[in-house]
Amino acid sequence: MTTVRSLPIRLQPMPGEAIDSWLEAIAARTNTAWGDLLDAVGLPAPAGGGYPSWTIALTDTEATNLRAATGSEADHPQMTLTRFNGTALCIDQDSRRLRRDVAWTRRTGSRFCPHCLSSNGGRWKLEWRLGWSFACIEHSCLLADECPRCRRTPRHSPLPGHCIPAIGRCAAPAQEGGIGRESQRCGADLTTAEVVSLPAAHPALGAQAVIDRIIDDGIARFGVYRQHPQSVGSALADIRAVGGRVLSYATDEEITMRVGSDLAAAYRTESAEPRGERSEQVRASRTKPALEAPARAVTAAIAASTAIAVLNRPDIATAADYLRWLVISARDAGLTVQPTNIGWGTRISPVLTGIQLAALAPMLDPSDQLRYRTRSALPTLITGHERGDLLARHTPTQFWASTSLPFTAPATRRTMMRLALSAAIQLVGTRMNLTAAGQQAGAHIRGHALSRFLQILHADPNWGDVCTGLIRIADYVVEQGTPIDYRRRRSIDYSELLPEHEWRRIAKCTGTLPQSSSAARAFLREELSCVPTVEGSPDLLARIAAFPRYLTPELRDELLDYGRRFLCAAGIDNEPLSWEPPDQLLADLDLPGARPGEIDRHRLRSLIRERDLPLGAAARELGTTGEAVRLELITNPLPMDTGRRQYAHARAQLPPETLSKLYHRDRLTLRQIAGQVGVSRQTVSRLLADYEISTIPATQRTKIHVDRDWLYQEYVTNRRALPDLARQLGMSTPNLARWATKYEIPMRPRGGPSHSSALAAAASAEAVPPILRTAAAAQGGRDRLARAEAASTFPTLTEAARALGTSQATLTSQFLRLERETGGALFERAERNRPMKLTTHGRRVIAAVRQLNPSD
């Protein structure tokens, strides 16, 4: 081991200075030949081309000798390219050579900033040796590539050992081909080199700042990398890949548009054949900038700044929009750009792959947009087959009902829509062709049918969000799984589902017509297996489609409760009956179909229960789709109508034993039993038939005797209605009418005057003031009188009608009737600038009304 001695003059390195620059400064200061200085500090003289090994990495011995000879305590290894090992370049530690692992690794020569050399006394920065250094941010200019006199690249060859370094001067031979100890050096002042000045906000300076930060941090977290951080090597490979494509395929106009006229003009000037003594490697680096570090700073600046402009976008979709011009430009140049050949270089990150796929999206078929997930947060190339198996297991044959609604385009049928959606998500992230996707989840859709369906969706203005939604759902079921194994559900034998005796039990306890057993069985089978019924007679398919309109909460609960027991018997006791993907997957998307829960339930009930409309007609009335109405009726069944509600109430109040006791033992009539529980006689009669309780023959029924004096007193004297009396006696109205005929009791004519309310009004009118008697005796008369009294406080009929919650026409009609019944006009109508007021007759009528209702 050679012992080194301390040098007579101490000179500290400058921040960021290269180790050979510092030693050259010491040699120049001491007027020492370069070879002698290297011997004095214990470093080997350089041999051959390229960077000397000790400028790449120092051995421990070399570092110790340097400290001893120079007296400097600086971190000498950080003055070598070791400082950038693993970030901007990669070093083979055994040979101390630069490897090709990192893009744009420069193996010899260096750029420089003449302004920096002028200000620091000719000292050389280590970072200038990187292929990624092309601009000086401090002086807002590009770096210089060559000596202003000999046009050679500085530090391309080592300085001969006999030369004394001339700081800030070109050390290349003065003559082309000059070699040996006697060769004169060029000696040009490098501070006089001309460089391209740039405005402070120029994209090239911004790109240099971003690259410097990536290298310093050792990781990329800017722009698109914020959501998907990448290693510095991957990020630099991405910049090189995009920049290389720009230089290869962009036109002069496109480059000018993106980097400005100053940089574009410099690039056109430098694109001529290289001058001076340059290697074929340098020439190749100009024509293929993605393979080696660009020889010219302007080339690197254009490549890097255009690439950073893409990668500095906030997300993949925005970056893809900004990159699409380059894809189109490459296609215009005759290059085939497809998902299978979009690599654009080695070692690029998944982020750039995603950007490229998203940029291609508008040029791809809808099936390929799904395959490559082009509308996802990170589109990817297809790898492996595991995803397809997971999708088949976690996807129902018939797409989830609620989730399918927003995707429902007007031109698609219900069954086709849900089957096709399930087939479509089999394509997401898989290599499956359309035919295989149509078979994968049991949908059995042919490839051309699935293609047609996707074309319909693709033609919708909301296709972008439709594609995003399908991708999100597919990704969710693959990554999170589902609580239901749909492949197992499809394999269950449903031939014994809901046997007839079980259906009759459910129908009886819920008041459902038992004739709908086939539709109920198909409904339950769809709920359990998620496989639609597509075969059968047109009548059966129509009844299945219409079944939800007859569902009630009670019937749905009974059917689903039976379904749970059926699954348990099949060995499935750990799964929910049904499941839907989370709503938030689609919450922010603009989709063509309706959202669940948007239907007006009160209006739907009116259309289904009162107007008895078919589902399709109800959907048109509501301005929605039949599938949306069908789902609403399944998810939130309508309460049963009055007759079915009465029946269910009667079943609850009259179990078979109770009804049999009342009917057979206590000998109550059906009407009497019905009166006890508050239902109709027909309901009790139906209950007897459903319980299979034998009816009593007419000859054995209890005879009800009606007393003539009682009937005359109640009907004629007390003016009670015949139906009221019949209910009191527990017999029918026609039967009581026969008793009245038998007793020759005069019958009132049928119609309104004979109704109980009319009779009650006439009876109560006996006690009112004479002026009101005729009006009060009429049915609804007291209400009309009260309304007239309330209206008398308003200036116009219009305001009175609004306050009373009715129309002016209705109020006018009622007041005209009161005027006929009371014998005179009530109001003087309002005119311009004069409010409505009571007539003299009207004041007497209203005073009588207030006397009649003193509390008012």
Side-chain angles (χ1 to χ4, degrees), residues 299-320:
T299 306
I302 290 175
S305 57
T306 51
I308 293 294
V310 172
L311 301 172
N312 209 17
R313 300 291 149 176
D315 52 55
I316 297 289
T318 309

Side-chain angles (χ1 to χ4, degrees), residues 92-120:
D92 185 328
Q93 296 295 342
D94 294 333
S95 63
R96 290 199 283 179
R97 295 293 181 188
L98 298 178
R99 297 169 53 182
R100 293 178 175 268
D101 294 34
V102 180
W104 286 5
T105 296
R106 188 165 188 158
R107 291 169 176 75
T108 186
S110 176
R111 299 188 185 108
F112 63 95
C113 174
H115 303 299
C116 289
L117 291 179
S118 178
S119 62
N120 66 17

Side-chain angles (χ1 to χ4, degrees), residues 381-404:
L381 294 172
I382 303 167
T383 57
H385 302 282
E386 297 81 4
R387 185 181 178 92
D389 184 68
L390 288 171
L391 283 171
R393 186 181 309 129
H394 295 306
T395 306
T397 300
Q398 184 171 243
F399 210 65
W400 300 277
S402 295
T403 309
S404 71

Side-chain angles (χ1 to χ4, degrees), residues 47 79 176 191 194 220 299 327 402 485 500 510 578 591 673 719 748 810:
M79 298 176 68
E176 290 190 13
T191 65
E194 294 183 0
T299 306
V327 175
S402 295
D485 185 340
E500 194 64 27
T510 59
S578 60
L591 300 173
I673 296 173
R719 300 183 65 80
R748 289 187 293 271
T810 300

